[in-house]
Amino acid sequence: MPKRVLFLDRDGIIVEETQVDSLEKINYIPGVFSALGRLCKSGLWYLAMVSNQDGVGTPSFLQEDFDIPHQRILDTLAGEGILFDAQHIDFSLPQDACPGRKPGIGMLGEYQNEAYDLANSVMIGDRLTDLQLAKNLGCKAIWFADPSLATQLEESLASICLLVSDNWAQIASFLLDESHLSPRMAAVNRSTKETQISVNLNLDGGALGTIHTHVPFFDHMLEQVKRHSGCDLDIQAHGDLEVDEHHTVEDVGLALGQAFFEALGDKRGINRYGFELLPMDEVLAQVSLDFSGRPYLQWNVEFKREYVGEFPTEMVQHFFKSFSDSARCNLSMTVGEGNAHHQCEALFKAFARAVRSAVHRNPYSMQLPSTKGVL
């Protein structure tokens, strides 16, 4: 089986960020012994240190000034059961433009073969160059930083960053929950004499995907689900629209619900419950959701119009009933009086945000959110 690699920076991750050129300057990051000990004991990871050590071997930073404290660090870690399988240390200076200097991957060529599972490997570092290294190498990253900085990540790095945390206990729990490294995905194809539906869902995505049902208002509503749930969602539907839109809307609801049911798996670690109170101009929508394994729809909605454009408002309830049935979830939906377009859109947006909360995974626990032992 290909090895998953845990690439670790040294300074700022294992020891405090400073030039460690003497034994007196070694100060360990709080919680690192316990966390790395747990990770090593799990046997899930191949540990590789990847570090830049500027100018070692020059008159201002003698080789022995690096070697002695570095060996003490390794010996101390070994005493705690933490052993590195490999070390990759670059001694160049920034102006040298060395290809082995992070974020370059020149000294990591050995990992680019089938013996290693780079797609599910992780780089932990405290600098953006560490995240860029992960991107260049084709693996994921954890940014060892204050979580409040997460919003500062540019999109290309945010897409490969699994977690932003400066808490080693949280990071270890996250990495030991293997489900975080395997996105929760499902692909459902539903084919009948009336419709052909294809749904691809990634619960841990970034609101990507295309939606095309040939029913414009329905597409608009499903786009709200994609954007506000944060899930990657691709829906392609071809139905008997020469009859009407009923079968298309119904079967998309059934296929989408089935995709959620499959992607959630055993539901360990998820919130399970989600709820949202969402205003949209003159209307207020309230949606509550429970991925309980039991289908039930509570519908407290009254539309004053039969159609929004050419879309029958009665089909909104039918879509959510179909979703509830195949996702095996409780779904309660209420919206106040007002413009029918606003009522529909507020319901879809509130539904999406309730879904986002319900499918969220707790990085500290993989407990099943039920006392029955099954959902």
Side-chain angles (χ1 to χ4, degrees):
M1 178 181 294
K3 302 172 186 175
R4 290 188 304 180
V5 187
L6 187 60
F7 298 102
L8 290 159
D9 191 11
R10 194 193 77 166
D11 298 351
I13 302 301
I14 296 172
V15 296
E16 291 183 0
E17 182 71 63
T18 184
Q19 188 177 63
V20 181
D21 57 7
S22 68
L23 298 178
E24 291 74 21
K25 290 185 179 180
I26 300 174
N27 292 302
Y28 294 92
I29 300 293
V32 69
F33 293 134
S34 174
L36 286 183
R38 290 170 60 197
L39 291 167
C40 286
K41 187 177 181 180
S42 74
L44 296 173
W45 299 95
Y46 179 94
L47 260 63
M49 183 182 292
V50 184
S51 178
N52 292 335
Q53 296 293 328
D54 295 357
V56 171
T58 63
S60 61
F61 195 177
L62 299 177
Q63 186 72 46
E64 65 182 27
D65 290 337
F66 170 78
D67 289 342
I68 293 172
H70 181 67
Q71 190 59 50
R72 173 64 64 84
I73 292 169
L74 295 177
D75 290 344
T76 303
L77 292 170
E80 299 292 329
I82 302 161
L83 299 172
F84 280 87
D85 297 289
Q87 297 181 61
H88 309 278
I89 301 176
D90 179 80
F91 296 134
S92 68
L93 293 167
Q95 58 267 30
D96 296 332
C98 177
R101 183 179 179 83
K102 294 184 292 185
I105 60 173
M107 59 181 174
L108 301 176
E110 68 186 73
Y111 298 101
Q112 296 178 307
N113 63 66
E114 61 186 17
Y116 298 95
D117 181 8
L118 283 181
N120 289 310
S121 295
V122 178
M123 172 73 204
I124 304 179
D126 63 326
R127 299 188 180 188
L128 293 180
T129 50
D130 295 311
L131 274 65
Q132 187 63 51
L133 171 70
K135 183 174 182 291
N136 293 344
L137 194 58
C139 68
K140 303 294 193 299
I142 290 177
W143 190 16
F144 196 88
D146 189 306
S148 65
L149 298 176
T151 56
Q152 298 182 16
L153 283 177
E154 61 180 67
E155 185 176 350
S156 65
L157 295 182
S159 66
I160 57 95
C161 186
L162 297 171
L163 179 69
V164 180
S165 174
D166 55 7
N167 183 311
W168 259 117
Q170 180 185 16
I171 292 170
S173 294
F174 185 92
L175 290 172
L176 290 171
D177 170 11
E178 295 187 62
S179 61
H180 287 291
L181 303 174
S182 302
R184 297 170 295 172
M185 304 172 69
V188 173
N189 293 293
R190 179 180 174 86
S191 182
T192 71
K193 292 181 178 180
E194 299 160 341
T195 62
Q196 290 78 47
I197 312 293
S198 170
V199 173
N200 288 279
L201 173 69
N202 179 359
L203 299 182
D204 304 299
L208 304 177
T210 59
I211 293 172
H212 193 36
T213 68
H214 301 277
V215 182
F217 182 76
F218 190 37
D219 285 353
H220 179 49
M221 294 299 101
L222 293 172
E223 287 286 348
Q224 307 307 316
V225 174
K226 180 182 71 174
R227 174 58 60 88
H228 293 281
S229 71
C231 300
D232 287 350
L233 183 59
D234 191 279
I235 300 175
Q236 304 298 318
H238 300 274
D240 55 354
L241 297 181
E242 69 279 3
V243 178
D244 66 11
E245 61 288 302
H246 182 102
H247 296 138
T248 296
V249 175
E250 177 183 58
D251 285 3
V252 167
L254 290 170
L256 183 60
Q258 182 66 29
F260 269 90
F261 181 79
E262 293 180 10
L264 283 170
D266 64 8
K267 303 176 187 173
R268 289 188 176 276
I270 69 167
N271 282 344
R272 171 180 166 181
Y273 298 98
F275 41 87
E276 183 70 22
L277 195 63
L278 188 141
M280 185 168 183
D281 295 346
E282 78 285 0
V283 304
L284 182 66
Q286 176 179 298
V287 174
S288 299
L289 174 70
D290 173 15
F291 283 110
S292 61
R294 301 184 305 278
Y296 195 88
L297 175 68
Q298 280 189 341
W299 183 254
N300 302 302
V301 176
E302 182 178 355
F303 294 113
K304 299 296 186 181
R305 289 169 55 189
E306 187 176 353
Y307 288 88
V308 175
E310 297 181 353
F311 188 83
T313 51
E314 68 176 2
M315 291 308 301
V316 178
Q317 178 181 3
H318 194 56
F319 167 78
F320 286 116
K321 176 64 165 60
S322 299
F323 178 89
S324 171
D325 285 348
S326 58
R328 285 78 149 177
C329 72
N330 282 189
L331 184 56
S332 175
M333 311 190 77
T334 302
V335 71
E337 293 185 0
N339 178 279
H341 186 125
H342 290 168
Q343 288 179 299
C344 292
E345 190 163 339
L347 284 170
F348 275 88
K349 286 179 175 178
F351 165 75
R353 293 183 65 85
V355 164
R356 184 174 194 151
S357 177
V359 304
H360 177 75
R361 287 183 295 195
N362 185 342
Y364 296 102
S365 171
M366 277 299 288
Q367 287 188 341
L368 190 73
S370 172
T371 57
K372 288 197 288 288
V374 65
L375 280 175

